């Protein structure tokens, strides 16, 4: 009992050490669990939402649309749970200028169901549900009416459905027709699209660089009123995926098995079958057209023959009458009246030659008959010409049919191809990677501080430990006093850390996340296993340090332990050998130098602890500086143009005319911009059509006219880069990179994510879904977005643009019809504000699809999630620095009680004692800061390299101000700790402290 009371008394006396260990453990466990828990809660709530709304696991698209046969084939694939055929149509409407939207049919098989936020779901034809983004932008509300205009059939159906047959309609066979939706609409509900969780009212509205939508809005309509049996896509749910987290590797493997089966057998067969359907439909149209033409020609020929027969009868009648009259006159002149009468009653027999001669004479003598014969002959001639022309046309179409219908391509996509899904996943993965790295530093610092504190605690009780061992207590029982002390401090600190880690930090992160994404059903959850392991990790580390300290002392005999520990032998330090410096130092300066370098363990612990904390602060500030400068570097330095304008192909000429007529452009470059995909060659079958899979990146494909390749460097800074280490990269000389016809230039942001370098082979997908293998001629410095630059000639070579193959030798690339230059990069006159206003005014023009001002993008670029996490990390690192300095300062004082008492006896005033003790601590702190600053840059570089995010490259930068802030903050913490330590020094009693231990 006395042993226990003494142990409790000892614990109470060491409350400062207890608080230090508890606080370090609290911070470490909070960092270890907090970021993890926040990301985990977001992952889980999003996964539940996806399961509830039936977000598709696989989506199948086709360049020729999908038929009922395709849907039936997908249902037979092993592993497919549900298949939903979907119809959609792109429409336009007037909303402060022309806007586009996708009319999406609400599926009836439970896949991709929109989440109702307000109002009700549409049920009747003409009713729609819209997103909150549309409500915000349009100012409309539930009950408002809207009229839309269908766009021409999209390229994924019209290009192949038009068989160039008799009528050229979109019918591919007797029943398949393109989808058509009602045009007079009524808003009845506001919904959340499960394919895009971006919050239109939050921070994501500013991060336009991550937008992947092809239209401005999505309208959801019921099946009622939708016509057409040709489907624009098919969505699938895979068996077993509902029980797995959509963000886990096991889910990806399960889905990949199904996509591989589709790619392996179904896709190839159905591509051939679908093309054959189109060929059969085209042939049927030609056969039907021939039969219809033959029928019309036969009817026309029958009519001509009937008219000619009537004409001939008329002429023959006149011939007979004239021949009879001639015979009657001859009989009257040479015979009697009876003979004449008999001759008049008999028609003379004429030979064929005489009859034909008489017919021609009669027709020639009569203008009416002559005209009638000419009309009959002309009608017959025209009919014969029409027959020959129609037959020739049909034969030509028969010959051209196979070449006019391209090969049908399927594109099998998983959830990674959804822009909203991949953005959310990359955000959370990146933040979680930070959460996995920082606790390691906290753990190392915790072990170091625990070793320092517990070693001093055990050393103070040397005589007591020797007494207990001498009285027969086992070494384990004696060591349990300190082990239980450390364990209790870890458990209390860890418990508080779990509260902060599973409640405080996740709540903070989720507030920021909800400003970027809409996540219904979000709730905080506790992970017993992870939380327990988090505490256990720090318990093991601290207990290991405590055991080491106990073993170091208890290996001695009880007699040795009960005697005072011999003072450390004096020794010369390196500074003493530098006479010019040493001789000019004062007495207290020499004492301070000897104290610092003689006690190696205290030097290492203090400098290491302070360096670790300073490094964490620098690392956090490095990430903040890197993210803060992304927009400025990209839109001020890399993009040298001021304005990018994009239009539809059909409006390209009007767009160019509009911009030119405004008189704001000082120089410009016409280009073609398409949304595409870049895949590392060899990561998968290039024809698999599997966008968004591993080794894939969404890109902006920029084709440059052949005659203006040299002008690209005037609009974009072309600098070759090579991979560096620790977040650095080698950047070549500006202007040393040129676009040629032997390869493409890939943006650094895409190249870094995919491991692409100059000379690599990649697979490019253009805006029409055509894929080709290209050579990477160079990697260009680029931080935001994933631009791929290609020359007009190389584009034609890659994507087999037949009209463009000879553009290099043409007189003028502007006169070439190879490509439609649907975009313009331009430099503008005027201030940043006027440039932004001009871009906004252009977007109101009907010929402009998108107008982007670089000045506006540079000023508005934000990455709030990363900024919030960095602020959290810096705050926790600052707290750790404060605790570390407090622990080391108290340990330093406890080690030097007799020394301080001696100084007081010698007549040192309290302020002089403070200066004597604190000066050593400040010097050690400065040494730690000096070591921590480059260490922070090193760690920051490694961490930013791990932040692989779509369309972003983190070019690590630490501003001088950040180094100053980190150093000043650490020194400020050291000064703050002195305010707590100075009263402890004042309370040291010289008499009691200098009493002999004996």
């Amino acid at each position: 009992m006395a042993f226990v009371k003494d142990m409790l008394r000892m614990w109470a006396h060491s409350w400062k050490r207890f608080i230090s260990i508890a606080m370090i453990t609290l911070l470490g466990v909070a960092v270890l669990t907090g970021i993890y828990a926040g990301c985990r809660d977001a992952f889980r709530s999003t996964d539940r939402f996806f399961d509830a709304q039936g977000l598709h696991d696989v989506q199948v698209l086709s360049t020729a649309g999908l038929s009922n046969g395709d849907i039936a084939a997908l249902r037979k694939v092993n592993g497919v749970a549900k298949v939903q055929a979907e119809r959609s149509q792109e429409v336009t409407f007037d909303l402060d200028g022309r806007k586009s939207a996708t009319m999406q049919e609400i599926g009836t098989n439970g896949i991709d169901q929109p989440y109702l936020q307000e109002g009700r779901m549409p049920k009747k034809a003409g009713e729609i549900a819209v997103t909150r983004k549309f409500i915000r932008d349009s100012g409309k509300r539930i009950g408002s009416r809207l009229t839309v205009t269908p766009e021409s059939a999209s390229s994924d159906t019209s290009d192949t459905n038009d068989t160039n047959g008799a009528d050229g309609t979109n019918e591919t066979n007797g029943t398949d027709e393109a989808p058509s939706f009602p045009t007079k609409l009524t808003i009845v509900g506001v919904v959340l699209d499960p394919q895009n969780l971006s919050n239109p009212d939050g921070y994501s509205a500013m991060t336009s660089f991550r937008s992947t939508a092809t239209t401005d809005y999505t309208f959801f309509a019921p099946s009622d009123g939708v016509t057409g049996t040709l489907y624009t896509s098919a969505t699938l749910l895979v068996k077993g995926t509902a029980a797995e987290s959509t963000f886990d590797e096991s889910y990806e493997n399960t889905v990949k098995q199904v996509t591989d089966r589709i790619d392996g057998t179904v896709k190839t067969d159905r591509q051939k079958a679908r093309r054959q359907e189109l060929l059969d439909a085209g042939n049927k149209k030609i056969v039907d057209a021939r039969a219809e033409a033959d029928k019309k020609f036969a009817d026309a020929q029958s009519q001509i023959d009937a008219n000619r027969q009537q004409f001939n009868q008329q002429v023959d009648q006149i011939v007979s009458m004239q021949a009879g009259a001639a015979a009657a006159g001859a009989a009257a002149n040479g015979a009697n009246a009876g003979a004449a009468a008999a001759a008049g009653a008999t028609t003379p027999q004429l030979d064929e030659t005489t009859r034909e001669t008489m017919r021609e004479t009669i027709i020639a003598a009569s203008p009416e008959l002559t005209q009638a014969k000419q009309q009959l002959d002309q009608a017959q001639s025209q009919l014969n010409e029409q027959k020959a022309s129609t037959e020739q046309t049909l034969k030509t179409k028969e010959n051209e049919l196979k070449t006019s219908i391209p090969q049908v391509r399927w594109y099998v996509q998983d959830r990674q191809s959804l822009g909203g899904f991949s953005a959310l996943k990359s955000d959370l993965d990146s933040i979680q990677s930070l959460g996995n790295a920082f606790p390691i530093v906290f753990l190392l610092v915790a072990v170091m501080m625990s070793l320092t504190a517990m070693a001093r605690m055990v050393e103070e009780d040397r005589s007591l430990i020797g007494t207990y061992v001498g009285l027969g207590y086992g070494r384990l029982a004696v060591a349990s006093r300190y082990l239980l002390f450390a364990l209790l401090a870890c458990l209390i600190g860890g418990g508080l850390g779990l509260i902060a880690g599973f409640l405080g930090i996740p709540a903070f992160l989720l507030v920021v996340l909800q400003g970027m994404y809409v996540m219904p059903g979000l709730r905080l959850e506790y992970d017993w296993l992870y939380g327990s392991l988090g505490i256990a990790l720090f318990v093991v580390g601290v207990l290991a340090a405590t055991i080491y300290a106990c073993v170091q002392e208890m290996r001695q005999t009880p007699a040795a332990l009960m005697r005072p520990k011999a003072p450390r032998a004096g020794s010369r330090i390196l500074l003493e050998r530098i006479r010019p410096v040493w001789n000019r130092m004062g007495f207290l300066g020499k004492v301070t130098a000897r104290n610092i370098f003689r006690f190696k363990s205290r030097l290492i612990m203090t400098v290491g602890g302070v360096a670790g904390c300073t490094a964490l602060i620098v690392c956090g500030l490095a990430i903040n500086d890197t993210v803060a400068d992304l927009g400025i570097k990209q839109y001020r330095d890399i993009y040298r143009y001021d304005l990018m304008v994009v239009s539809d192909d059909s409006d390209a000429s009007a767009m160019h005319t509009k911009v030119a007529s405004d008189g704001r452009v000082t120089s410009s470059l016409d280009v073609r911009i398409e949304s595409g995909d870049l895949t590392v060659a060899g990561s998968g079958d290039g024809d698999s059509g599997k966008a968004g899979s591993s080794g894939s990146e969404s890109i902006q494909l920029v084709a440059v006219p052949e005659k203006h390749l040299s002008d690209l460097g005037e609009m974009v800074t072309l600098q070759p880069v090579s991979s560096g280490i620790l977040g650095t990269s080698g950047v070549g000389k500006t202007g040393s990179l040129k676009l040629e016809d032997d390869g493409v230039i890939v943006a650094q942001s895409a190249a870094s994510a995919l491991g692409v370098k100059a000379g690599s082979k990649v697979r490019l997908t253009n805006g029409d879904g055509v894929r080709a293998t290209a050579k990477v001629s160079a990697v260009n410095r680029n931080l935001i977005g994933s631009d791929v630059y290609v020359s007009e000639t190389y584009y034609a070579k890659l994507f087999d643009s037949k009209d463009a193959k000879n553009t290099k030798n043409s007189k003028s690339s502007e006169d070439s019809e190879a490509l439609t230059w649907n975009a313009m990069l331009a430099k503008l006159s005027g201030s940043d504000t006027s440039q932004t206003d001009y871009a906004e005014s252009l977007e109101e023009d009907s010929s402009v699809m998108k107008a982007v001002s670089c000045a506006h993008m540079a000023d508005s670029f934000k990455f709030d999630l990363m900024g919030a996490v960095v602020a959290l990390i810096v705050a926790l690192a600052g707290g750790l620095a404060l605790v570390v300095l407090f622990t080391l300062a108290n340990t330093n004082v406890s080690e030097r009680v007799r020394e301080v008492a001696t100084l007081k006896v010698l007549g040192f005033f309290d302020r002089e004692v403070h200066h004597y003790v604190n000066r050593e601590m400040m010097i050690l702190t400065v040494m730690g800061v000096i070591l921590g600053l480059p260490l922070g840059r090193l760690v920051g570089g490694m961490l930013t390299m791990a932040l692989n995010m779509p369309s972003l490259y983190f070019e690590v930068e630490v501003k001088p101000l950040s180094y100053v802030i980190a150093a000043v903050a650490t020194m400020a913490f050291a000064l703050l700790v002195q305010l707590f330590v100075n009263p402890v020094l004042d309370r040291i009693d010289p008499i009691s402290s200098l009493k002999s231990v004996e």
Side-chain angles (χ1 to χ4, degrees):
M1 188 64 183
F3 180 81
V4 175
K5 287 182 179 181
D6 184 60
M7 179 177 65
L8 296 176
R9 191 181 299 112
M10 182 266 294
W11 287 5
H13 180 71
S14 303
W15 62 272
K16 293 180 182 178
R17 294 191 181 97
F18 188 91
I19 292 177
S20 297
I21 296 175
M23 286 299 298
I24 292 175
T25 306
L26 185 154
L27 293 173
V29 172
V31 172
L32 178 65
T33 59
I35 298 178
Y36 159 82
C39 295
R40 174 178 173 272
D41 293 340
F43 278 138
R44 286 198 168 188
S45 64
T46 306
D47 183 61
R48 287 193 300 267
F49 176 74
F50 287 159
D51 290 341
Q53 304 308 124
L55 181 65
H56 67 261
D57 298 314
V58 180
Q59 183 181 46
V60 178
L61 303 171
S62 173
T63 56
L66 297 171
S67 64
N68 288 322
D70 297 327
I71 304 301
L74 289 172
R75 286 195 175 99
K76 297 178 181 179
V77 176
N78 184 26
V80 173
K82 286 183 179 180
V83 177
Q84 178 173 285
E86 296 184 345
R87 295 175 291 185
S88 63
Q89 182 183 33
E90 291 189 5
V91 298
T92 59
F93 56 93
D94 184 36
L95 181 64
D96 296 330
R98 191 183 67 172
K99 298 292 183 180
S100 61
T102 299
M103 294 288 295
Q104 180 66 49
E105 179 185 16
I106 301 176
T108 58
N109 208 15
I111 303 178
D112 289 343
Q113 298 297 297
Y115 176 78
L116 184 64
Q117 294 178 302
E118 185 180 349
R120 64 176 178 83
M121 296 297 292
K123 298 179 181 178
K124 299 184 299 182
E127 295 182 342
I128 60 168
V130 299
T131 60
R132 192 165 297 280
K133 177 185 177 184
F134 176 78
I135 295 294
R136 185 200 65 181
D137 294 347
S138 66
K140 296 183 181 297
R141 59 180 184 271
I142 293 177
S144 298
R145 299 183 183 276
L146 181 69
T147 300
V148 299
T149 303
E151 289 189 351
S152 58
S154 58
S155 61
D156 60 348
T157 57
S158 63
D159 291 347
T160 53
N161 291 341
D162 187 357
T163 63
N164 295 321
D167 56 6
T169 63
N170 285 338
E171 294 183 7
T172 57
N173 53 41
T175 58
D176 288 341
E177 297 179 359
S180 178
F181 286 72
T183 57
K184 297 186 180 299
L185 309 173
T186 302
I187 300 174
V188 298
V190 179
V191 297
L192 173 65
D193 185 357
Q195 298 186 32
N196 184 8
L197 302 183
S198 298
N199 186 353
D201 300 318
Y203 314 123
S204 61
M206 301 301 298
T207 54
S208 57
F209 70 97
R210 309 178 75 170
S211 175
T212 57
T214 55
T215 56
D216 298 311
Y217 308 101
T218 301
F219 299 158
F220 296 91
S223 299
D224 186 21
V226 182
T227 61
T229 56
L230 188 65
Y231 305 109
T232 51
S233 66
T235 51
L236 290 70
L237 291 182
V238 177
K239 293 179 181 178
T241 54
E244 299 174 346
S245 173
T246 185
F247 303 98
D248 290 345
E249 187 177 354
S250 59
Y251 166 83
E252 296 178 0
N253 293 335
T254 302
V255 172
K256 188 176 185 301
Q257 292 176 1
V258 174
T259 57
D260 288 345
R261 294 189 190 108
I262 296 175
D263 287 333
T265 56
V266 178
K267 185 184 76 169
T268 303
D269 294 342
R270 290 309 305 172
Q271 284 178 164
K272 294 179 180 179
R274 181 63 178 151
R275 185 168 187 269
Q276 189 60 47
E277 288 178 3
L278 298 176
L279 290 173
D280 292 344
N283 286 324
K284 183 177 183 299
K285 288 180 179 181
I286 294 174
V287 170
D288 292 344
R290 177 178 280 111
E292 184 178 356
D294 289 345
K295 183 176 181 302
K296 290 180 180 179
F297 292 149
D299 293 342
Q301 186 66 55
S302 298
Q303 184 65 37
I304 292 174
D305 292 344
N307 292 338
R308 190 176 294 279
Q309 183 179 3
Q310 184 179 0
F311 175 80
N312 290 334
Q313 289 176 353
Q314 236 177 352
V315 174
D316 288 343
Q317 185 178 4
I318 296 173
V319 169
S320 299
M321 290 174 62
Q322 289 183 357
N333 294 328
N336 55 30
T346 305
T347 301
Q349 297 295 324
L350 302 176
D351 57 54
E352 188 64 29
T353 302
T354 304
R355 180 179 290 276
E356 188 61 31
T357 302
M358 291 181 67
R359 285 170 54 85
E360 292 177 357
T361 303
I362 293 171
I363 293 174
S366 173
E368 292 82 0
L369 293 176
T370 301
Q371 183 179 4
K373 185 176 184 301
Q374 290 176 348
Q375 290 177 346
L376 287 172
D377 292 341
Q378 184 178 2
Q380 185 64 55
S381 176
Q382 291 176 349
L383 180 61
N384 293 337
E385 290 178 1
Q386 289 180 0
K387 281 183 178 181
S389 176
T390 301
E391 184 62 26
Q392 181 62 35
T393 300
L394 292 176
K395 287 183 177 179
T396 301
K397 290 189 179 295
E398 284 180 339
N399 296 331
E400 293 177 350
L401 182 60
K402 288 187 177 182
T403 58
S404 64
I405 298 180
Q407 295 294 331
V408 175
R409 292 178 180 271
W410 272 26
Y411 296 98
V412 184
Q413 302 174 336
D414 55 21
R415 290 182 181 178
Q416 294 290 341
S417 63
L418 300 177
F421 175 87
S422 59
L424 173 63
K425 185 176 185 299
S426 64
D427 280 347
L428 295 178
D429 284 342
S430 299
I431 301 308
Q432 198 167 35
S433 66
L434 294 179
N436 293 335
F438 275 95
I440 298 175
V441 180
F442 277 79
L443 178 61
L444 293 176
V445 173
V447 171
M448 291 174 60
M449 294 304 101
S450 299
L451 180 60
T452 301
M454 296 310 299
R456 180 57 194 165
M457 185 177 181
V458 173
E459 186 178 340
E460 287 178 350
D461 289 347
R462 276 176 56 88
S463 60
L464 187 60
I465 292 173
T467 302
Y468 277 126
V469 174
L471 291 174
Y473 286 88
R475 282 179 166 77
L476 180 60
V478 176
S480 65
R481 292 158 49 95
Y482 310 101
L483 294 174
L484 292 176
F485 176 85
L487 177 62
L488 184 60
C490 284
L491 292 178
I492 293 177
L496 296 175
L498 291 181
I499 295 175
F502 283 99
L503 294 178
I505 296 178
F508 168 75
L509 289 178
L510 295 179
V511 167
V512 180
L513 278 171
Q514 286 179 314
M516 299 179 65
Y517 303 99
V518 180
M519 293 180 284
L522 185 62
R523 63 173 183 263
L524 302 179
E525 300 182 30
Y526 179 72
D527 188 337
W528 287 96
L529 178 61
Y530 195 86
S532 301
L533 291 177
I535 294 180
L537 184 64
F538 280 84
V539 166
V540 170
V542 173
L543 286 184
T546 305
I547 291 173
Y548 176 80
C550 291
V551 169
Q552 289 296 104
E553 290 293 335
M554 293 184 184
R555 66 174 58 179
Q556 303 179 46
T557 62
L561 288 172
M562 285 187 285
R563 287 195 298 270
K565 189 174 183 179
R568 184 181 297 273
S571 60
R572 296 167 71 83
I573 62 175
L574 179 62
L575 190 60
E576 293 184 42
R577 304 181 187 279
I578 307 176
R579 289 296 178 181
V581 177
W582 183 257
N583 292 337
R584 286 172 172 76
M585 294 176 61
F587 172 74
L588 293 180
K590 293 179 179 179
V591 172
T592 300
R594 283 190 176 126
N595 287 338
I596 289 175
F597 294 103
R598 186 173 59 169
F599 299 99
K600 300 293 192 302
S601 60
R602 186 171 68 191
L603 172 66
I604 294 173
M605 292 297 178
T606 305
V607 173
V610 174
C613 297
T614 305
L616 286 178
I617 298 176
V618 173
C619 181
L621 295 175
I623 298 174
N624 183 69
D625 291 343
T626 299
V627 173
D629 282 351
L630 282 178
I632 296 176
K633 289 181 178 179
Q634 181 67 37
Y635 298 108
R636 299 285 188 187
D637 299 339
I638 298 177
Y639 287 165
R640 302 173 67 180
Y641 59 85
D642 300 315
L643 176 72
M644 179 178 71
V645 189
V646 184
S647 70
D648 285 327
D649 286 356
S650 58
D651 297 326
S653 178
M655 179 269 290
H656 288 294
T657 303
K658 164 65 178 173
V659 177
S661 64
D662 290 337
R664 294 292 304 274
V665 176
T666 59
S667 62
S668 65
L669 174 64
D670 294 344
V671 296
R672 177 169 183 81
I673 294 180
E674 301 176 352
S675 296
D677 188 74
L678 184 146
T679 306
V680 179
S683 64
D685 184 5
D687 294 330
S688 65
K690 196 174 172 186
S693 61
S694 177
S696 178
E697 185 85 2
S698 297
I699 62 168
Q700 182 171 267
L701 189 62
V702 182
V704 183
E706 193 66 33
K707 297 296 183 181
H708 296 283
L709 295 181
S710 59
D711 296 337
L712 179 63
E714 298 296 324
M715 296 295 170
V716 179
T717 301
L718 298 178
Q719 288 180 278
V721 294
S722 56
S723 300
I725 59 173
L726 305 179
T728 62
S729 59
V731 181
K733 182 181 178 181
T734 302
S736 61
L737 180 59
K738 295 185 181 301
L739 181 62
E740 303 288 349
D741 296 331
D742 58 349
V744 299
I745 298 178
V746 179
Q748 185 180 13
S749 47
S752 175
L754 301 178
V756 173
K757 58 184 179 180
S760 299
K761 296 288 187 180
V762 296
R763 295 192 185 276
L764 292 177
T765 305
N766 69 356
D768 295 328
V770 181
R771 295 197 166 196
T773 300
K775 176 187 175 183
V776 177
S777 61
V779 176
N780 184 49
R781 178 172 176 255
N782 196 84
L783 307 180
I784 301 175
S786 297
D787 297 331
V788 175
Y789 300 101
V790 58
S791 69
E792 182 181 6
T793 300
Y794 197 57
Y795 182 99
K797 178 181 178 182
L798 291 176
F799 303 112
D800 195 25
S801 178
K802 296 180 181 178
D803 296 332
K805 287 191 175 181
N806 297 320
T807 57
K808 186 173 183 179
N809 298 321
S810 63
K811 294 182 180 180
S812 175
S813 63
E814 290 89 342
D815 297 333
S816 172
E817 297 179 357
L819 292 174
T820 300
W821 308 115
N822 67 339
M824 174 189 291
L825 308 180
K827 293 183 179 181
L828 303 178
S829 59
S831 63
D832 290 351
T833 303
S834 65
Q835 292 176 9
T836 301
D837 294 340
Y838 178 60
E840 292 177 353
S841 66
L842 279 179
E843 286 202 323
E844 298 177 2
D845 190 88
S846 60
S847 65
V848 176
M849 179 188 299
K850 189 72 175 177
V852 179
S853 167
C854 287
H856 174 70
M857 293 300 295
D859 295 337
S860 63
F861 178 85
K862 292 182 180 180
F863 200 175
D864 298 88
L865 178 59
M866 187 64 70
V869 174
V870 166
L872 176 65
I873 290 173
V874 171
L876 292 173
L880 180 64
L882 185 62
V883 174
V884 166
L885 290 170
F886 179 79
T887 303
L888 293 171
N890 278 281
T891 302
N892 184 36
V893 171
S894 65
E895 288 178 342
R896 306 174 65 179
V897 171
R898 292 175 65 86
E899 181 182 355
V900 172
T902 302
L903 293 176
K904 288 189 174 186
V905 170
L906 292 175
F908 279 65
F909 293 104
D910 288 344
R911 181 173 297 179
E912 294 173 329
V913 173
H914 297 168
H915 179 69
Y916 174 79
V917 175
N918 292 331
R919 181 167 57 178
E920 294 181 17
M921 196 65 193
M922 291 302 294
I923 292 175
L924 292 173
T925 302
V926 171
M927 294 172 63
V929 169
I930 294 174
L931 180 62
L933 293 179
L935 181 62
R937 171 60 179 82
L938 188 71
V939 176
M942 290 188 292
L943 284 178
T944 49
M945 285 182 64
L947 298 178
N948 287 325
M949 303 182 70
S951 303
L952 281 179
Y953 177 80
F954 292 95
E955 191 175 70
V956 183
E957 177 173 340
V958 186
K959 296 180 180 178
L961 181 60
S962 296
Y963 288 118
V964 174
I965 292 174
V968 170
T970 306
M971 298 305 297
F973 290 143
L975 293 174
L976 180 62
V977 167
Q978 290 182 12
L979 298 179
F980 294 100
V981 173
N982 289 340
V984 177
L985 295 174
D986 295 340
R987 288 194 295 268
I988 294 178
D989 182 16
I991 298 177
S992 60
S993 299
L994 291 174
K995 285 182 179 178
S996 175
V997 180
E998 300 291 343

